[in-house]
């Protein structure tokens, strides 16, 4: 068996405020393998990656490359030692072309390579990627932007490739394509490490795994020798029933919102919306399923009141029907990253003046309520005063969901509610949405996760090309039926799917 390319040797990381993010963690990455790093939000995965990449230095322990200790005081040191990293939030120059983004990070003699189209194509083809070097990054879909990030990380002949939550922005087909690419990269002798929450993804594509739990190693080994149950229990510390129905079937109450023959014209990269008709009822969870890019964003904006239909109408039962939102992009639409957790949780109420006392902010009341919400939503943070930017992506998402559910709105519209959350956190969020519906709230969930929708929703609408292609409910909510409507807009054959759609 080959020696590891890079190792963490009993590494600990304690921050200045005393928080112990990692405690005596050891990790070995081998050439030619894909190594999955699993754990709950806040378990220390990103801290570990940042130590390998030189963003942070360990408080104790060390980093070894080919058995020799190295010190990475900044990312440039890690890059010089052949380590590349693909961050969860891309660090591309959007107005620049693909070739220009690659040239920006090339070092020494390798800069010359990215001046010649033939050399750029040869470099891409080495890893099975075929992008247009002249394409501007801002015009590429997210999956292709991610490939540019991967190529950037490989530009300087990296021997170690680190990826932080690469699959959270991708559709299931795109996830498969990502791992095909990572497998080709590993076969060139590169050690690949991937941070992820998805156990099925790990078992399907990774060679080894390491699990972190509250900053400590809680299992490591070959994926071929474990089961989903084994991994889940080590990640969460207990069994999680992720396949069962969440809550009982509900009876729809009074109509709260109605969309009638709504139309939005197609635009660049958007199918628009065509003759959308739907009714939303109190105490019901309505799901919207579809392959991403088929009109979900436009429907979210319509329900949110952010856009008005060019034809048709969106009406509410009364002026008292308010809408709370969980947007898809938590960083740009859901959070003020430099504000503390407390202010993000209570932002809307603070802006409405609900926490004023004698004309000044009542910080004691804000802190008290924020601590209650943090405990209720299991937000992993050192303090309610910690900037939202310092939290993991999953904990940031918990803030956005908690704020929406705290608004006491009649309608809650949620876009990709559990994207970036670990299994336990995802279950917690789904349970809270179910409880909101049980309490009479109208809940709309737009998601590409079919299994999640089936477990939670009372009915599911399927959107394809900006059109509602079908509705399923009750026992007819199966992946086969929904998948057929998502991809073709037609019912599957009776032999494949059974009875007619509801």
């Amino acid at each position: 068996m080959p020696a590891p390319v890079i190792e963490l040797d009993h590494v600990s990381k304690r921050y200045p405020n005393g928080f112990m993010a990692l405690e005596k963690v050891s990790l070995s990455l081998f050439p030619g393998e894909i190594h999955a790093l699993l754990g709950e939000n806040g378990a220390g995965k990103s801290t570990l990656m940042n130590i390998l990449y030189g963003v942070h230095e360990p408080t104790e322990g060390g980093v070894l490359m080919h058995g020799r200790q190295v010190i990475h005081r900044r990312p440039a040191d890690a890059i010089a030692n052949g380590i590349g990293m693909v961050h969860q939030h891309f660090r591309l120059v959007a107005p620049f072309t693909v070739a220009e983004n690659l040239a920006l990070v090339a070092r020494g003699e390798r800069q010359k390579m990215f001046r010649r189209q033939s050399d750029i194509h040869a470099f891409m083809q080495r890893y099975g990627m075929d992008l247009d070097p002249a394409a501007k990054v801002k015009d590429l879909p997210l999956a292709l932007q991610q490939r540019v990030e991967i190529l950037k990380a490989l530009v300087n002949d990296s021997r170690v490739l680190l990826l932080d939550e690469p699959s959270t922005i991708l559709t299931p087909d795109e996830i498969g394509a990502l791992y095909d690419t990572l497998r080709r990269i590993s076969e060139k002798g590169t050690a690949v490490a991937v941070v992820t929450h998805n156990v099925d993804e790990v078992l399907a594509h990774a060679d080894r795994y390491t699990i972190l739990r509250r900053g400590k190693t809680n299992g490591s080994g070959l994926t071929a020798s474990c089961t989903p149950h084994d991994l889940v229990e080590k990640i969460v510390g207990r069994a999680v029933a992720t396949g069962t129905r969440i809550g009982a079937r509900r009876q729809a109450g009074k109509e709260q919102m109605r969309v009638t023959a709504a139309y939005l014209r197609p635009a660049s990269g958007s199918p628009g919306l065509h003759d959308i008709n739907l009714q939303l009822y109190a105490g019901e969870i309505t799901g919207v399923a579809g392959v991403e890019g088929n009109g979900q964003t436009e429907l979210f904006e319509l329900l949110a009141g952010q856009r008005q239909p060019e034809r048709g109408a969106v009406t509410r039962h009364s002026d008292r029907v308010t809408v709370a939102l969980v947007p898809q992009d938590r960083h740009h639409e859901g959070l003020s990253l430099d504000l503390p957790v407390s202010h993000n949780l209570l932002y809307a109420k603070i802006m409405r003046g609900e926490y004023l006392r004698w004309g000044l902010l009542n910080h004691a009341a804000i802190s008290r309520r924020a601590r209650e919400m943090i405990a209720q939503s299991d937000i992993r943070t050192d303090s309610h005063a910690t900037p939202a930017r310092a939290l993991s992506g999953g904990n940031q998402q918990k803030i956005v969901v908690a704020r929406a559910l705290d608004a006491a709105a009649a309608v809650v519209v949620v876009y990709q509610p559990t994207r970036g959350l670990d299994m336990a956190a995802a279950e917690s969020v789904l349970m809270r949405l179910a409880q909101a519906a049980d309490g009479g709230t109208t809940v709309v969930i737009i998601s590409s996760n079919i299994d999640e929708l089936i477990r939670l929703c009372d009915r599911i609408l399927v959107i394809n090309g900006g059109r509602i292609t079908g509705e399923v409910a009750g026992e007819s909510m199966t992946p086969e039926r929904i998948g057929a409507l998502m991809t073709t807009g037609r019912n599957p054959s009776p032999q494949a799917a059974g009875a007619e759609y509801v």
Side-chain angles (χ1 to χ4, degrees):
M1 181 174 178
V5 179
I6 191 168
E7 301 169 82
L8 288 181
D9 183 19
H10 293 85
V11 162
S12 297
K13 177 62 181 177
R14 185 186 295 276
Y15 287 102
N17 63 5
F19 176 67
M20 182 70 84
L22 293 175
E23 186 174 354
K24 298 189 182 303
V25 172
S26 295
L27 174 74
S28 299
L29 302 181
F30 293 88
E33 288 189 346
I34 298 175
H35 195 121
L37 190 62
L38 296 132
E40 293 183 278
N41 298 121
K45 305 183 300 297
S46 294
T47 300
L48 186 153
M49 287 290 210
N50 284 329
I51 287 174
L52 289 173
Y53 194 58
V55 176
H56 301 314
E57 289 187 64
T59 307
E60 300 174 13
V63 179
L64 308 177
M65 292 202 70
H66 299 292
R68 178 177 60 87
Q69 185 164 357
V70 294
I71 298 175
H72 296 157
R73 292 191 171 90
R74 57 191 187 278
D77 297 334
I79 293 169
N81 277 327
I83 300 172
M85 185 166 178
V86 177
H87 298 271
Q88 185 177 3
H89 303 288
F90 301 154
R91 301 184 178 185
L92 299 167
V93 183
F96 283 19
T97 66
V98 172
E100 289 167 341
N101 272 275
L102 299 180
L104 280 175
V105 298
R107 299 163 59 93
E109 290 296 313
R110 297 186 72 82
Q111 289 179 334
K112 296 178 183 178
M113 174 191 300
F114 296 97
R115 297 175 190 157
R116 296 186 293 268
Q117 295 285 318
S118 58
D119 289 339
I120 296 171
H121 275 296
F123 170 70
M124 291 180 180
Q125 288 171 0
R126 181 184 180 195
Y127 301 108
M129 289 186 254
D130 187 19
L131 298 170
D132 178 4
K136 291 190 175 180
V137 164
K138 66 180 181 181
D139 297 328
L140 298 176
L142 284 176
L144 295 186
Q145 289 185 28
Q146 186 180 71
R147 294 194 179 198
V148 179
E149 278 281 20
I150 293 172
L151 289 167
K152 268 182 57 184
L154 296 169
V155 156
N156 295 300
D157 201 21
S158 299
R159 291 167 287 171
V160 179
L161 177 63
L162 312 173
L163 300 100
D164 191 5
E165 299 281 8
S167 62
T168 57
I169 61 165
L170 304 178
T171 65
D173 287 345
E174 290 169 343
I175 290 172
L178 167 68
Y179 277 97
D180 288 344
T181 297
L182 296 183
R183 181 58 65 188
R184 281 192 289 268
I185 293 168
S186 70
E187 288 171 351
K188 301 293 183 184
T190 299
V192 178
V194 180
V195 169
T196 180
H197 294 115
N198 191 318
V199 167
D200 292 333
E201 176 185 310
V202 170
L203 293 176
H205 301 290
D207 302 298
R208 292 180 185 272
Y209 71 91
T210 294
I211 293 169
L212 292 182
R213 179 160 171 75
R214 301 192 184 272
K216 298 179 181 180
T217 305
N218 196 39
S220 186
L222 296 171
T223 55
S225 62
C226 61
T227 66
H229 175 81
D230 297 333
L231 292 182
V232 169
E233 196 153 341
K234 288 177 182 177
I235 292 167
V236 180
R238 57 181 171 81
V240 176
T242 57
T244 57
R245 168 80 187 175
I246 299 176
R249 303 287 179 187
R250 302 168 191 88
Q251 293 296 319
K254 182 186 297 184
E255 181 181 293
Q256 299 286 57
M257 288 184 70
R258 177 184 289 261
V259 180
T260 308
Y263 171 82
L264 289 173
R265 73 184 64 193
S268 176
S270 165
L273 293 176
H274 305 272
D275 197 31
I276 299 294
N277 293 283
L278 63 93
Q279 296 81 41
L280 302 176
Y281 301 97
E284 183 183 55
I285 300 180
T286 301
V288 179
V291 176
E292 291 193 44
N294 274 274
Q296 294 95 319
T297 298
E298 294 80 356
L299 181 58
F300 178 88
E301 292 170 346
L302 208 65
L303 295 175
Q306 296 169 349
R307 295 179 68 176
Q308 297 301 315
E310 295 166 43
R311 294 197 301 268
V314 178
T315 55
R316 302 183 188 184
H317 175 70
S318 72
D319 293 337
R320 291 192 297 274
V321 174
T322 56
V323 180
L325 306 173
V326 177
Q328 176 179 212
D329 188 341
R330 57 179 170 260
H331 269 203
H332 294 98
E333 299 174 285
L335 295 166
S336 294
L337 291 170
D338 293 319
L339 288 180
V341 170
S342 57
H343 286 218
N344 274 283
L345 284 167
L346 298 165
Y347 185 83
K349 293 183 176 181
I350 290 171
M351 295 304 291
R352 289 198 299 267
E354 294 185 25
Y355 283 93
L356 289 178
R357 186 181 184 189
W358 300 316
L360 300 174
L361 282 180
N362 187 342
H363 290 287
I366 291 171
S367 300
R368 186 166 53 251
R369 179 56 186 149
R371 284 194 292 266
E372 292 172 354
M373 294 174 70
I374 287 167
Q376 185 180 32
S377 297
D378 190 27
I379 298 168
R380 306 287 175 83
T381 177
D382 298 340
S383 163
H384 66 274
T386 300
R389 186 182 300 280
L391 273 61
S392 67
N395 282 299
Q396 291 172 350
Q397 180 74 346
K398 290 182 189 179
I399 293 173
V400 182
V401 173
R403 184 179 62 227
L405 294 180
D406 188 57
V411 179
V412 177
V413 185
V414 187
Y415 201 158
Q416 303 288 13
T418 62
R419 177 167 280 177
L421 271 65
D422 59 67
M423 286 165 290
E427 288 294 299
S428 175
V429 166
L430 297 178
M431 283 296 296
R432 294 204 64 203
L433 292 172
Q435 290 164 1
D438 292 341
T441 302
T442 301
V443 179
V444 181
I445 300 176
I446 301 172
S447 176
S448 56
N449 188 325
I450 298 176
D451 293 333
E452 184 174 278
L453 293 176
I454 291 172
R455 294 181 60 213
L456 188 62
C457 296
D458 301 298
R459 60 189 175 112
I460 298 173
L461 307 175
V462 182
I463 191 167
N464 185 330
R467 293 175 168 83
I468 300 294
T469 55
E471 176 180 326
V472 294
E475 297 303 318
S476 66
M477 293 194 299
T478 66
E480 295 76 18
R481 297 181 177 191
I482 296 168
L485 288 173
M486 284 172 58
T487 55
T488 68
R490 298 189 301 272
N491 293 359
S493 66
Q495 292 83 356
E500 292 298 314
Y501 282 84
V502 174

